[in-house]
Amino acid sequence: MPIEVDAKRRLDEIAAATVEVARERGLRSVTIRAVAERLGGSTAMITNYVPSRAGLMINALRHAEGEWRRAAEEELKGVPDAERLPALVRRMCADTGGDVVMRRLLMETVSAGPAADGRDAEEVGAMARAHRESLGGFVAAAGLPGREIAADLLHLVLRGYWLSTLEDPQGWPAERGTRAALAAVELLGGADGAPTVPAPGGADPEERVLA
């Protein structure tokens, strides 16, 4: 009698194993066989749920982003509305192992381009749109003018920073990216109503990002 397996749980297990392989051995080492070996099963254990390497990466990215969002929501609980956007920006510029792996998964998946099937490509686009929409909510809560263009600009700034950390990780440490992104928040707030944002690393709290 066949053993019934919960599909969502199996996909989560496959995603977690994919992230572990990527973190330990690099993205180029992520294959269906490598992930199957990590889970202690055959490749059929993977292909029954994820039929291609592109799908494997999409599944891992979806899982990693979901975990990131849950952690971010927990961290931002109780933070006043006006302070939530700077707090979110700081978190998006973090350089923990999980953040770096998620950025690499994103860039690898996007760079696959036409090699990914249409459904996979659409899912990547949907995740990008969700990121942009989420920023729009934080921008509105912060009271920044021009919510739509402000959210668009921050989306581009943060996505650009993620790419920069992969191109030149030593040149773009988290402190530099955070400072630039917070400066963008302050510029978008306007000269009169912009909040004072302390620089990372315990700098003088009276120092403005643009000072």
Side-chain angles (χ1 to χ4, degrees):
M1 189 172 181
I3 299 174
E4 291 188 9
V5 178
D6 180 84
K8 183 181 183 304
R9 189 180 76 178
R10 178 52 53 84
L11 285 169
D12 285 345
E13 291 170 351
I14 291 170
T18 304
V19 170
E20 288 171 7
V21 172
R23 182 182 291 119
E24 294 174 9
R25 296 158 53 184
L27 278 183
R28 291 184 180 180
S29 298
V30 175
T31 63
I32 288 175
R33 184 175 297 280
V35 174
E37 289 173 353
R38 174 55 61 100
L39 289 173
S42 68
T43 55
M45 178 183 185
I46 308 299
T47 55
N48 284 341
Y49 298 90
V50 184
S52 66
R53 185 176 186 274
L56 194 69
M57 304 299 278
I58 286 280
N59 181 57
L61 178 59
R62 185 195 306 118
H63 177 83
E65 186 172 83
E67 290 296 308
W68 189 95
R69 285 182 182 277
R70 281 188 284 275
E73 287 169 6
E74 185 65 29
E75 190 174 301
L76 293 175
K77 276 184 181 176
V79 176
D81 284 350
E83 299 172 19
R84 285 171 65 83
L85 181 58
L88 180 71
V89 165
R90 290 188 180 93
R91 202 177 195 294
M92 285 187 166
C93 292
D95 60 357
T96 65
D99 290 291
V100 173
V101 170
M102 187 169 72
R103 291 170 200 162
R104 290 192 179 279
L105 284 169
L106 175 62
M107 297 306 168
E108 169 83 6
T109 304
V110 170
S111 68
D117 65 37
R119 186 173 56 188
D120 288 343
E122 174 56 29
E123 185 157 359
V124 173
M127 283 190 278
R129 289 189 292 274
H131 174 258
R132 159 48 188 87
E133 289 303 315
S134 177
L135 281 173
F138 280 89
V139 165
L144 268 63
R147 169 182 170 176
E148 295 302 317
I149 190 64
D152 285 351
L153 288 169
L154 285 176
H155 175 77
L156 293 174
V157 166
L158 290 164
R159 284 302 212 246
Y161 167 66
W162 292 350
L163 176 59
S164 296
T165 63
L166 301 180
E167 290 176 323
D168 181 16
Q170 292 188 342
W172 282 99
E175 293 79 8
R176 184 181 181 187
T178 302
R179 188 171 178 84
L182 289 176
V185 172
E186 188 156 347
L187 283 167
L188 291 168
D192 297 329
T196 298
V197 182
D204 183 351
E206 294 301 316
E207 178 190 0
R208 295 178 69 81
V209 168
L210 300 182

